[in-house]
Amino acid sequence: TSLRFDVETKARVYALHGVREYWVVEAGRRRLPPCRAPMPAEGRWAEYRTLEAPFGVAPGALPALVVSSDDLWPPPSPAS
């Protein structure tokens, strides 16, 4: 319910303060738009793209730690 606030207001505040990376998980849509490379003077991000499942993404500070969409939203188990 806070998606718009998270994507617009919080993302801008975090960029203004130089937070290196900011992820918002869009659970209902199975999407993740990671924001990277803040531009504090402008209050925006140099890199912003939306990943749609299936995807794998790693945080810039821990590139060996890959988070997959299956980690966030496990595939449905087969019907028994």
Side-chain angles (χ1 to χ4, degrees):
T1 61
S2 65
L3 182 61
R4 184 174 182 181
F5 179 76
D6 293 341
V7 171
E8 294 175 7
T9 305
K10 280 173 72 175
R12 184 173 189 277
V13 169
Y14 288 0
L16 283 168
H17 287 87
V19 172
R20 293 184 184 181
E21 192 164 359
Y22 176 61
W23 293 11
V24 176
V25 176
E26 294 184 35
R29 295 183 176 174
R30 296 176 47 101
R31 299 191 317 187
L32 177 84
C35 302
R36 295 182 172 153
M39 301 172 72
E42 292 88 16
R44 63 186 185 89
W45 299 88
E47 183 183 329
Y48 180 89
R49 68 186 194 285
T50 299
L51 304 174
E52 299 201 25
F55 63 78
V57 63
L62 298 167
L65 176 68
V66 176
V67 177
S68 82
S69 54
D70 286 345
D71 295 331
L72 300 172
W73 305 285
S77 44
S80 338

